[in-house]
Amino acid sequence: MIKIQFGVVMSMFSAETRILNAARDLFFEHGFSGVSTDMLAREAAVSKATIYRHFTNMTDILRRLTELETAKISGSDQPKIETRDDLQNALTQFGMRLLTFLNSSDTIEFSRVIHEEARKNPDMGQAFFLAAYGKTNNALARIIQEAADNGLLLLTETPQDIAEDLMALFTGSGMKRAMLGVCDIPYDRMDRNVDRAVHTIMTVYGAQG
């Protein structure tokens, strides 16, 4: 009876979703290199052929998982940046979403797994970096570019470089402390980190008048 109920629940989700959910759980439990396609197929209740129908390899699965997770940071829509208040609000909301995401115990544990595995599998490390840091940085750079287009920022560096600087200001050394086990929560005062970072960027690059 339990198996039947489980099968009904599993059938409610697409094969791709089941694969991603199962992969996420297995990566946490066994690490990236410890998960085989046989294990994943059993956990997701799909065939190996189905896995390869949706994904090229395990690194591709990791890339897709990372993209889904980090999509929570940039938000669903590109905000309109027409006034200084719009810009401040957009950057503040972005920073708060970012630090809320990084404060999650799952995010911290996932990051530990990735950093350990990246030494063994550089391709996986590259895929994770592009899916996480690359896409997040690009989303922030688009906000900065729109602000510059509307005369709110005077850019002496590229939007990508400024976005990278702002990301560093947002995060500081909080994640490093968490990854090393020095603290449980990287950012106990998220608002303070975000306000300071946004103020710095708007002061340095803000158009006067």
Side-chain angles (χ1 to χ4, degrees):
M1 185 65 177
I2 294 176
K3 290 184 178 180
I4 294 174
Q5 290 177 340
F6 177 73
V8 171
V9 172
M10 289 291 285
S11 67
M12 294 171 61
F13 299 96
S14 69
E16 181 178 5
T17 299
R18 297 205 305 273
I19 293 166
L20 290 170
N21 287 341
R24 188 177 188 276
D25 292 340
L26 289 172
F27 288 159
F28 275 122
E29 185 175 355
H30 301 285
F32 180 79
S33 61
V35 179
S36 67
T37 51
D38 287 328
M39 292 171 61
L40 181 55
R42 286 195 300 271
E43 186 75 12
V46 298
S47 67
K48 290 173 66 174
T50 299
I51 293 175
Y52 287 116
R53 189 178 306 127
H54 290 279
F55 304 98
T56 305
N57 49 34
M58 297 297 283
T59 299
D60 191 33
I61 294 174
L62 174 67
R63 176 194 58 78
R64 180 63 179 144
L65 267 175
T66 305
E67 288 177 346
L68 289 172
E69 288 296 306
T70 54
K72 301 170 185 176
I73 299 171
S74 56
S76 56
D77 299 309
Q78 171 76 7
K80 290 185 178 181
I81 312 295
E82 297 176 343
T83 68
R84 186 176 174 85
D85 283 346
D86 289 342
L87 174 59
Q88 184 168 349
N89 289 336
L91 295 179
T92 298
Q93 290 172 13
F94 191 101
M96 291 299 290
R97 286 194 299 267
L98 171 65
L99 297 194
T100 298
F101 175 75
L102 294 179
N103 260 353
S104 164
S105 59
D106 279 358
T107 300
I108 296 168
E109 183 58 32
F110 195 55
S111 296
R112 287 176 179 151
V113 169
I114 295 302
H115 281 77
E116 290 171 4
E117 298 292 344
R119 292 182 298 174
K120 310 170 193 173
N121 186 341
D123 289 341
M124 182 274 291
Q126 174 77 353
F128 176 78
F129 181 86
L130 292 175
Y133 297 98
K135 286 187 176 293
T136 303
N137 194 76
N138 287 340
L140 190 51
R142 286 194 295 271
I143 294 175
I144 292 168
Q145 182 63 67
E146 183 173 349
D149 291 343
N150 289 332
L152 301 172
L153 294 177
L154 298 175
L155 306 188
T156 56
E157 306 291 341
T158 68
Q160 286 74 20
D161 285 341
I162 295 171
E164 188 168 336
D165 290 343
L166 182 51
M167 289 279 286
L169 289 169
F170 280 144
T171 58
S173 59
M175 277 301 285
K176 294 182 179 67
R177 289 195 297 269
M179 295 279 286
L180 292 169
V182 176
C183 63
D184 295 326
I185 300 176
Y187 308 103
D188 57 354
R189 284 288 307 277
M190 294 189 297
D191 54 343
R192 181 178 57 191
N193 285 60
V194 170
D195 288 347
R196 184 172 63 242
V198 172
H199 174 76
T200 299
I201 290 298
M202 292 188 68
T203 299
V204 173
Y205 297 103
Q208 301 300 316

